[in-house]
Amino acid sequence: MSDPQQLSTQEREQGTQFAPRFDSRGLITAVVVHEETKDVLVVAHMNAEALALTRETGRVHFWSRSRGKLWLKGETSGHYLNLREIRVDCDQDALVIVAEPAGPTCHTGEQSCFYRRINPTADDASALVKVKT
Amino acid sequence: MSDPQQLSTQEREQGTQFAPRFDSRGLITAVVVHEETKDVLVVAHMNAEALALTRETGRVHFWSRSRGKLWLKGETSGHYLNLREIRVDCDQDALVIVAEPAGPTCHTGEQSCFYRRINPTADDASALVKVKT
């Protein structure tokens, strides 16, 4: 396998080699979507170890930036995200993780972390409206 | 309006005030999803100006990290992303932008930047499989 850092733009963007690009902090953005509803459940980050563990165990792992540690999603709540598929974008610096959630994904108890939308006609001070997720 | 930086965790996570948290670079992650198919089209970043212009013009703007400049998506291709809705996550450090794309979103000509999935039984050197988007 060629060194991922040595891939040409065309190889990276249109080839078959999976060569994720971690940023200067060693992280890649991971967008988790629900297998059935396709709702975006959570946006978080993975380091190489979290990505490897996700692929090995079939359960989504992240790197928690706030806690500075590896994070098996659901490790305390039991609300695991069971891996179904990983997609990568053209320049391989973001992942879409298709998953089946074992419970609410958001720590607030909502199914998705994105449970509020902006009301475009309201002031920002009172713009957020809860949506069903 | 209270200062967004002064919000309590509960106010930020469960309140009605839109108070996006830009990171140390002044950026927030924006996940654009297709209004109808719900496919994730692109993951990019917005600074405060890009977010403001998106809301004002109804066309999605980003901050291009590679070019270091504001970026109206579609400004050269005509493939604008027409804004339909903005959602924010619990801790207000990521946005989901629901949009109607005026053409293929990916610069490769694909509808979505996430047009490759990982074949879990293949070596990484040849793991990426093109999917229909």
Side-chain angles (χ1 to χ4, degrees):
Chain A
M1 185 167 88
S2 58
D3 179 343
Q5 302 312 315
Q6 300 299 318
L7 288 182
S8 70
T9 300
Q10 170 147 359
E11 286 171 329
R12 181 179 303 283
E13 296 193 344
Q14 308 202 36
T16 60
Q17 181 172 339
F18 179 53
R21 291 170 75 184
F22 298 94
D23 68 15
S24 58
R25 302 165 299 179
L27 301 177
I28 191 167
T29 302
V31 178
V32 181
V33 302
H34 190 295
E35 178 186 25
E36 292 179 5
T37 66
K38 299 181 76 171
D39 282 335
V40 176
L41 297 175
V42 61
V43 173
H45 296 82
M46 292 181 173
N47 62 1
E49 186 181 6
L51 176 57
L53 284 168
T54 298
R55 297 172 75 186
E56 285 165 28
T57 66
R59 284 182 167 164
V60 176
H61 292 65
F62 299 120
W63 177 260
S64 169
R65 293 179 300 173
S66 57
R67 290 179 289 158
K69 58 176 283 202
L70 201 68
W71 167 30
L72 165 59
K73 172 66 186 161
E75 61 192 347
T76 54
S77 65
H79 300 157
Y80 301 106
L81 292 167
N82 296 307
L83 178 66
R84 292 293 183 261
E85 186 173 285
I86 299 176
R87 295 193 181 191
V88 65
D89 70 346
C90 48
D91 60 358
Q92 302 210 35
D93 68 354
L95 303 174
V96 164
I97 310 289
V98 181
E100 180 264 312
T105 297
C106 189
H107 72 290
T108 61
E110 301 287 340
Q111 298 300 310
S112 162
C113 292
F114 294 87
Y115 66 90
R116 292 173 297 181
R117 69 172 174 83
I118 296 179
N119 172 0
T121 64
D123 288 336
D124 280 0
S126 57
L128 297 184
V129 180
K130 199 167 163 181
V131 293
K132 192 179 179 314
T133 67
Chain B
M1 186 167 87
S2 59
D3 179 344
Q5 303 311 316
Q6 299 299 319
L7 288 182
S8 70
T9 300
Q10 168 146 3
E11 286 170 326
R12 181 178 302 282
E13 297 193 344
Q14 308 202 37
T16 60
Q17 182 172 336
F18 180 53
R21 290 170 76 184
F22 298 95
D23 68 15
S24 59
R25 303 165 298 180
L27 301 177
I28 192 168
T29 302
V31 178
V32 181
V33 302
H34 191 296
E35 178 186 25
E36 292 180 5
T37 66
K38 300 181 76 171
D39 283 335
V40 176
L41 297 175
V42 61
V43 173
H45 297 82
M46 291 180 173
N47 61 2
E49 186 182 6
L51 176 58
L53 284 169
T54 297
R55 298 173 75 186
E56 285 166 27
T57 67
R59 284 182 167 165
V60 176
H61 292 65
F62 299 120
W63 176 260
S64 170
R65 292 179 301 173
S66 57
R67 290 179 288 158
K69 58 177 282 204
L70 201 68
W71 168 29
L72 166 59
K73 172 67 185 161
E75 63 192 345
T76 54
S77 66
H79 300 158
Y80 301 106
L81 292 167
N82 295 306
L83 178 67
R84 293 292 184 261
E85 186 173 285
I86 300 175
R87 294 192 181 192
V88 66
D89 70 347
C90 47
D91 59 359
Q92 302 210 36
D93 69 354
L95 303 174
V96 164
I97 310 288
V98 181
E100 180 264 310
T105 297
C106 188
H107 72 289
T108 62
E110 301 288 339
Q111 298 300 310
S112 162
C113 292
F114 294 87
Y115 65 89
R116 292 173 297 181
R117 68 172 175 83
I118 296 178
N119 172 359
T121 64
D123 288 337
D124 280 1
S126 57
L128 297 184
V129 180
K130 198 167 163 180
V131 293
K132 192 177 179 313
T133 67

